[in-house]
């Protein structure tokens, strides 16, 4: 790598020194504070020899270099007049970016839903096949075979709050069994039956407005978040002897009772307001209503705000034998189909391609959950593109005065619902034209703007991947965790550079104790100035990086107490740092600590084991 040339090329392509307010660096990347990120030529920078990728996050324009980042940084600072700190204005920009509620909200949803995406995709395929079998009269909906197969296919969606409860509890580092129990309480059969029967309910004399929480996402997230807050609070204020019973009890009650008292009424009132507003808009301006419904219906479904529409749609069919509102809603299915299809066509990442392919198939057959949770919510720009495509399709439906003449399937199997019993009319042709337009508009927009190279980072790489033989073959060289806590696959880390494996093989750990110890015996090769990262090298040539937290370089050493210096000899398990993780977390930073073998490619074989590890004595990485 020609460091001087790379430094010049990077400065030129970020818009020159006149576009730079400040520059700092961490262990892997240059972190620019730019006046205008639009002036940076990201594609040109990513194409430079020595640049791994470019990330825009937290008000910083991050150029990922890897192990040579310090040399590139020094070359830039020695040649150009650039501040090594961010300006006050940049701090405001960064603060604004970090507080972007939409970005944080979407990141939360993706983190919670991601573990279940593959299972949801499988269930979606099964539901699509069931729709195919019934629409072609191969199976009757009343046959025992259908009932059993449908239960197998639909269970993943019906009991989604239980899965969400587990994943949410894991995300907030709380009791996952309690999370599952909270999700189960939301879909408890007697309460679902009471909702369907419109039974009046009360809790200690307080009226409870029930809602249908089956297949829902956000009530379970809200409930488990409440429980996690209670759990963390009571762990600090209840004696250890009483915690085993009282902490789960109180957190479970805090999660469930307020949710039933709050979520039901909120969902009910919001859905009724939306229903009245949309119907009013449709009666006044059908095309506008078509755009709104076509664009945002799937969002209403995700939030569980669609239930108030159902009685209206049913009443239209039963009284008028036709329904213009439900006719519009069909385009949203094809918008989600187009999102998944676009990602399938564009993705090079094997895992993303597989998920998108399955989601596209199920959406085409009328089941959109895999496409929403596996593609749209995960890639928020793609979700926005689906709004535009759905809005176009909805407008066409309204302009052509399309109607549904019965209730039935979604997707391709919905076509017969648009056929007038008296003969074909504009409704059927609207179904074809509007959905083709929806697919084309969404497909083109997602492929152009909604799915980028950064979205396609290879998340399918696992930390147990065997590296090609090059130089060194060791005999069972073990690396243990530097901190006590929950061990995770590197792919779960919320930093795409580490998660992609581009920095090397490794693992992550969510700390539960302040002590940081040496994972190997060797020499301290680096103690970063901002104290958030330590490098070690073993006598056998294993180069190891301990990166404590994500973006914690911005803390500039606060809350880190490093107990070693460069050149010190350390033994495996020796204390090398003390870190106030709770304060770092309160400051808004992810405490996940990455342990990376930065020279992974030099070894013949590297294996990892992140299951049932006893920290301090069992190796998580074994190099052979």
């Amino acid at each position: 790598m020609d460091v001087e040339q790379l430094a010049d090329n990077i400065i030129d392509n970020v818009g020159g020194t006149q576009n730079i307010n400040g520059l700092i660096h961490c262990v892997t990347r240059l972190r620019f504070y730019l006046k205008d990120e639009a002036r940076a030529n990201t594609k040109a920078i990513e194409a430079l020899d020595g640049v791994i990728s470019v990330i825009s996050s937290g008000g910083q324009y991050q150029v990922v270099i890897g192990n040579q980042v310090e040399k590139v940084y020094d070359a830039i600072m020695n040649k150009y007049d650039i501040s090594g700190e961010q300006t006050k204005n940049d701090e405001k920009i960064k603060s604004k970016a970090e507080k972007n509620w939409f970005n944080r909200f979407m990141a939360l949803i993706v983190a919670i839903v991601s573990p279940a995406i593959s299972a949801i995709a499988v269930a979606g395929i099964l539901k699509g096949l069931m729709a195919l079998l019934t629409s072609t009269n191969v199976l009757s909906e009343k046959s025992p075979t259908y009932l059993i197969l449908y239960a197998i296919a639909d269970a993943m969606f019906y009991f989604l709050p239980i899965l969400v409860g587990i994943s949410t509890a894991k995300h907030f580092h709380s009791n996952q069994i309690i999370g599952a129990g909270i999700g189960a309480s939301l879909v408890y059969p007697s309460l679902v039956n009471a909702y369907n029967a419109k039974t009046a309910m009360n809790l200690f004399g307080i009226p409870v407005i029930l809602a249908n929480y089956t297949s829902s996402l956000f009530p379970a997230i809200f409930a488990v978040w409440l429980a996690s807050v209670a759990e963390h609070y009571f762990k600090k204020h209840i004696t250890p002897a009483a915690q085993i019973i009282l902490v789960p009890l109180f957190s479970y009650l805090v999660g469930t009772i307020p949710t039933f008292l709050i979520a039901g009424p909120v969902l009910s009132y919001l859905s009724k307001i939306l229903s009245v507003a949309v119907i009013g808009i449709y009666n006044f301006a059908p095309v506008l209503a078509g755009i709104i419904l076509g664009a945002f219906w799937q969002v209403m479904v995700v939030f569980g705000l669609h239930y108030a529409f159902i009685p209206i749609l049913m009443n239209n069919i039963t009284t008028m034998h036709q329904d213009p509102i439900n006719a519009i809603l069909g385009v949203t299915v094809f918008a989600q189909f187009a999102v998944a299809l676009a990602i399938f066509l564009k993705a090079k990442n094997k895992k993303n391609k597989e998920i998108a392919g399955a989601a596209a198939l199920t959406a085409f057959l009328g089941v959109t959950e895999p496409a929403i949770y596996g593609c749209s919510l995960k890639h928020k720009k793609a979700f926005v593109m689906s709004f535009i495509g759905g809005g176009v399709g909805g407008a066409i439906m309204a302009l052509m005065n399309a109607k549904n003449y019965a209730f039935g399937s979604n997707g391709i199997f919905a076509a017969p619902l648009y056929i007038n019993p008296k003969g074909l009319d504009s409704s059927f042709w609207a179904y074809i034209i509007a959905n083709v337009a929806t697919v084309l508009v969404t497909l083109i927009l997602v492929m152009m703007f909604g799915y980028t190279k950064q979205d396609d980072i290879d998340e399918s790489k696992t930390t147990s991947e065997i590296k090609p033989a090059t130089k060194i073959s060791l005999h069972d060289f073990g690396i243990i965790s530097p901190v006590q806590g929950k061990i995770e696959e590197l792919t779960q880390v919320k930093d795409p550079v580490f998660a992609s494996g581009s920095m090397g093989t490794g693992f992550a750990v969510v700390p539960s104790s302040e002590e940081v110890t040496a994972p190997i015996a060797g020499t301290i090769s680096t103690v970063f100035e901002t104290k958030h990262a330590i490098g070690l090298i073993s006598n056998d040539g294993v180069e190891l990086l301990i990166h404590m937290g994500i973006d914690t370089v911005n803390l500039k050493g606060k809350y880190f107490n490093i107990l070693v210096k460069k050149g010190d000899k350390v033994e495996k398990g020796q204390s090398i740092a003390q870190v106030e993780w709770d304060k770092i977390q309160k400051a808004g930073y992810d405490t996940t600590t990455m342990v990376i073998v930065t020279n992974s490619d030099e070894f013949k074989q590297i294996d990892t084991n992140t299951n049932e590890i006893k920290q301090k004595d069992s190796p998580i990485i074994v190099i052979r």
Side-chain angles (χ1 to χ4, degrees), residues 111 115 167 169-173 176 462-464 481 483 485-494 506-511 550 590-596 608-613 615 620-621:
S167 188
K170 180 179 179 181
H171 182 81
F172 290 114
H173 308 299
Q176 294 180 42
T462 65
T463 56
S464 59
S481 175
V483 291
K486 182 174 173 44
I487 304 296
E488 294 183 346
E489 295 282 350
L490 200 60
T491 51
Q492 295 179 272
V493 173
K494 298 172 187 174
F507 63 92
V509 55
V510 180
I550 297 176
D590 189 327
T591 61
T592 302
T593 294
M594 286 69 68
V595 181
I596 309 294
T608 63
N609 173 24
T610 57
N611 297 320
E612 299 180 3
I613 292 297
Q615 286 79 24
I620 298 166
I621 292 181

Side-chain angles (χ1 to χ4, degrees), residues 31 41 55 87 114 130 134 165 167 186 201 209 229 237-238 251 282 296 307 309 313 388 452 460 472 479 530 579 611:
R31 295 170 177 262
N41 189 342
I55 302 170
T87 65
S114 288
M130 296 302 297
T134 54
S167 188
L186 294 175
M201 304 285 284
I209 300 176
V229 172
H237 294 85
I238 294 178
S251 58
Y282 185 85
F296 301 114
Y307 292 112
F309 287 83
L313 304 181
I388 299 173
T452 64
S460 63
I472 303 173
I479 300 173
T530 49
V579 184
N611 297 320

